[in-house]
């Protein structure tokens, strides 16, 4: 099926003018499909965080204060959340390849507008376009990875987390490293646009699999209409809200380190190197990504062990965030690095455990919707608290606002450690993962929704 046939939501068996193209399409290997599915989301998230070490320079060049930087950062998150709510399930109906292609096109537009921005409005427009791109890619990439690894749900979750956490972690490093020459705020984004453009060729040429829930007797407008928020599966609601709560908190911490913290840390520690600022801001995400890739999946652990890992992770997240706030205000660079790493390790432990639990509990035909819903709540943590900190900083100063924020996150992590960890009863539906794998082991690797 051609890309345009997918966008028109034509069923795979329907003859189309592009039928000859199907026979000549690129029948890529599973390894290449895994790389393309995860790599698209990875590159988009790298591009979304290139600006982290550049915010101090952009603030000076455009005359933006803490609130202006918060608004520019949050415009990406607001757009991402809105598109997740409206179109997070589209890849189920138009196909994973079509959704990823649309995401790449929007991503190219976003980085181009941001690179050429000369005002706060232009920054917000560029960030909003990129947020829409990440939103379309999030559910499509996660669902594609799971379909490509039907009998290895844990590995599919691990690749998803690598693409998301790894991309966010690498973005500040790449942004700082590419911020060279007379136009340091343009080169990183133009380079990202080139990489995204290179992804278009394989996405267009690959012989895509049919959509898991294509349009047959149901109208296209009804299928693409916004869905109700949530996981849509009663047995998975507990896993969904636990992962969402921890995701909201952890992304509030990430949002702070990716927006306001670079300028604050550069001032308190006397750092002037953009790569160093990017490395420090991205350290918490790098630690999180490393932990999420290490060790066994949660399916191999008992419910008691899983709950213990979540509690330890949340305790580390709270202690590390509180320690980072104190170290930044007192200028202790070594302690700051240790605290940031501890917060990242704790987030990686807790979120990976809860994400794996959600991926195991949810049915395959609900996977894209569940992951999109999870990231709606998660990414709101990057917007609402950060805007609040920016507004507070305008009234009492950034040092005081940062101290209040880090203390509040530590308290929230403690509360979630007590009440938010999975209990024994939450894993009661043990046979579900096996039934999911059985359904996915069909020749097509997916199940059609009877509706």
């Amino acid at each position: 099926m051609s890309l345009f046939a997918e966008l028109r939501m034509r069923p795979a068996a329907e003859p189309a003018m592009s039928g000859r193209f199907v026979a000549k399409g690129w029948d890529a290997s599973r390894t290449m499909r895994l790389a393309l599915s995860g790599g698209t989301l990875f590159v988009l998230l790298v591009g979304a965080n290139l600006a982290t070490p550049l915010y101090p320079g952009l603030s000076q060049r455009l005359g933006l204060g803490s609130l202006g930087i918060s608004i520019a950062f949050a415009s990406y998150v607001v757009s991402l959340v809105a598109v997740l709510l409206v179109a997070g399930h589209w890849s189920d109906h138009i196909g994973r390849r079509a959704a990823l292609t649309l995401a790449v096109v929007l991503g190219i537009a976003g980085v181009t507008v941001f690179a050429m921005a000369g005002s706060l409005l232009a920054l917000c427009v560029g960030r909003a376009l990129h947020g829409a791109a990440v939103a379309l890619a999030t559910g499509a990439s996660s669902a594609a990875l799971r379909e490509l690894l039907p009998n290895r749900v844990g590995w599919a979750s691990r690749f998803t987390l690598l693409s998301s956490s790894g991309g966010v972690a690498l973005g500040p490093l790449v942004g700082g490293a590419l911020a060279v020459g007379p136009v340091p705020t343009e080169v990183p984004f133009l380079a990202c646009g080139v990489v995204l453009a290179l992804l278009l060729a394989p996405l267009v040429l690959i012989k895509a699999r049919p959509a898991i829930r294509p349009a047959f007797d149901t109208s296209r407008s009804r299928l693409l209409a916004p869905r109700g928020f949530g996981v849509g599966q009663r047995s998975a609601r507990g896993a969904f809200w636990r992962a969402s709560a921890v995701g909201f908190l952890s992304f509030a911490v990430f949002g702070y380190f990716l927006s306001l913290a670079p300028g604050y840390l550069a001032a308190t520690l006397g750092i002037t190197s953009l790569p160093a600022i990017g490395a420090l801001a991205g350290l918490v995400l790098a630690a999180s990504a490393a932990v999420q890739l290490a060790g066994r999946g949660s399916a191999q652990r008992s419910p008691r062990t899983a709950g213990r890992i979540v509690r330890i992770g949340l305790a580390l997240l709270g202690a590390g965030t509180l320690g980072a706030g104190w170290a930044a205000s007192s200028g202790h660079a070594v302690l700051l690095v240790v605290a940031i790493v501890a917060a990242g390790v704790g987030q990686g432990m807790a979120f990976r455990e809860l994400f794996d639990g959600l991926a195991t509990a949810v049915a395959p035909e609900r996977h894209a919707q569940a992951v999109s819903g999870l990231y709606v709540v998660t990414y709101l943590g990057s917007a609402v608290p950060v805007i609040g900190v920016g507004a507070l900083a305008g009234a009492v100063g950034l040092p005081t606002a940062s101290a209040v924020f880090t203390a509040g996150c530590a308290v929230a992590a403690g509360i979630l450690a007590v009440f938010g960890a999975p209990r024994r009863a939450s894993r009661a539906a043990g046979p579900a993962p096996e039934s999911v794998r059985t359904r996915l082991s069909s020749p097509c690797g997916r199940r059609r929704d009877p509706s």
Side-chain angles (χ1 to χ4, degrees):
M1 181 181 292
S2 73
L3 174 63
F4 294 106
E6 289 179 65
L7 293 174
R8 293 196 300 270
M9 295 177 64
R10 295 180 120 174
E14 183 180 334
M17 293 181 63
S18 58
R20 293 180 62 187
F21 176 81
V22 176
K24 297 181 180 180
W26 176 33
D27 190 11
S29 65
R30 184 171 69 168
T31 300
M32 181 58 66
R33 291 175 185 272
L34 286 169
L36 195 58
S37 299
T40 301
L41 179 60
F42 178 82
V43 174
L44 283 169
L45 284 169
V46 168
N49 295 280
L50 290 173
T52 296
L54 308 179
Y55 279 131
L58 287 170
S59 178
Q60 293 179 0
R61 181 166 67 86
L62 301 178
L64 304 178
S66 296
L67 183 58
I69 293 298
S70 299
I71 292 174
F73 179 84
S75 61
Y76 158 80
V77 181
V78 171
S79 172
L80 192 156
V81 169
V83 176
L84 279 175
L85 287 171
V86 172
H89 62 292
W90 279 14
S91 72
D92 289 339
H93 308 294
I94 67 175
R96 314 303 183 199
R97 185 267 299 268
L100 290 174
T101 304
L102 288 176
V104 169
V105 172
L106 285 172
I108 293 172
V111 294
T112 302
V113 172
F114 195 92
M116 304 302 177
S119 65
L120 176 59
L121 177 60
L123 290 179
C124 291
V125 171
R127 293 287 290 170
L129 286 170
H130 208 102
V134 172
L136 282 174
T138 296
S141 175
S142 175
L145 290 171
R146 180 168 176 178
E147 290 168 8
L148 290 166
L149 297 170
N151 298 318
R152 307 184 72 178
V153 178
W155 274 102
S157 299
R158 183 174 294 188
F159 285 139
T160 300
L161 292 171
L162 171 63
S163 299
S164 57
S165 299
V168 175
L170 192 60
L173 297 175
V174 175
L178 294 180
V180 295
V183 284
T185 58
E186 296 178 12
V187 172
F189 301 99
L190 295 178
C192 180
V194 171
V195 175
L196 287 172
L198 293 176
L199 284 173
L200 282 177
L203 283 172
V204 171
L205 293 176
I206 197 169
K207 187 188 297 184
R209 298 180 175 186
I212 190 171
R213 294 157 74 182
F216 288 118
D217 299 328
T218 307
S219 68
R220 296 165 186 165
S221 60
R222 181 178 177 183
L223 287 174
L224 298 182
R227 296 294 178 84
F229 174 76
V231 70
Q233 181 180 332
R234 184 180 298 273
S235 61
R237 288 178 184 173
F240 173 80
W241 286 112
R242 282 191 294 271
S244 296
V246 173
F248 183 94
L249 172 62
S250 57
F251 270 59
V253 175
F254 289 172
Y256 167 75
F257 278 108
L258 292 173
S259 58
L260 296 175
Y264 177 49
L265 297 178
T268 57
L269 300 178
I271 302 174
T272 58
S273 168
L274 290 181
I277 294 174
L280 193 59
L283 187 59
V284 63
L285 295 128
S288 172
V291 169
Q292 291 177 35
L293 287 175
R296 299 180 304 166
S298 62
Q300 299 172 284
R301 285 191 275 268
S302 68
R304 185 186 298 274
T305 302
R308 185 182 302 116
I309 290 174
V310 171
R311 293 186 186 93
I312 293 173
L314 287 169
L316 281 173
L317 173 62
T321 304
L322 186 62
W326 183 85
S329 63
S330 57
H332 291 296
V334 175
L335 180 59
L336 176 64
V337 170
V338 172
I340 289 176
V341 171
V345 168
Q347 191 276 342
M349 292 172 60
F351 190 66
R352 176 191 162 184
E353 198 70 28
L354 294 171
F355 187 93
D356 283 354
L358 175 61
T360 302
V362 73
E365 63 270 18
R366 300 281 187 180
H367 190 82
Q369 181 182 353
V371 172
S372 296
L374 168 64
Y375 280 107
V376 165
V377 180
T378 297
Y379 278 110
L380 279 174
S382 295
V384 178
V386 170
I387 292 177
V389 175
L392 183 61
V396 300
L398 188 53
T400 302
S402 297
V404 171
F405 173 78
T406 52
C409 288
V411 172
I415 293 173
L416 286 175
V418 175
F419 299 105
R423 309 288 178 177
R424 181 179 298 273
S426 67
R427 301 276 179 129
E434 186 62 36
S435 64
V436 167
R437 288 191 286 268
T438 300
R439 289 198 302 270
L440 284 172
S441 62
S442 62
C444 294
R446 57 191 172 274
R447 175 193 176 197
R448 295 196 183 279
D449 190 347
S451 63

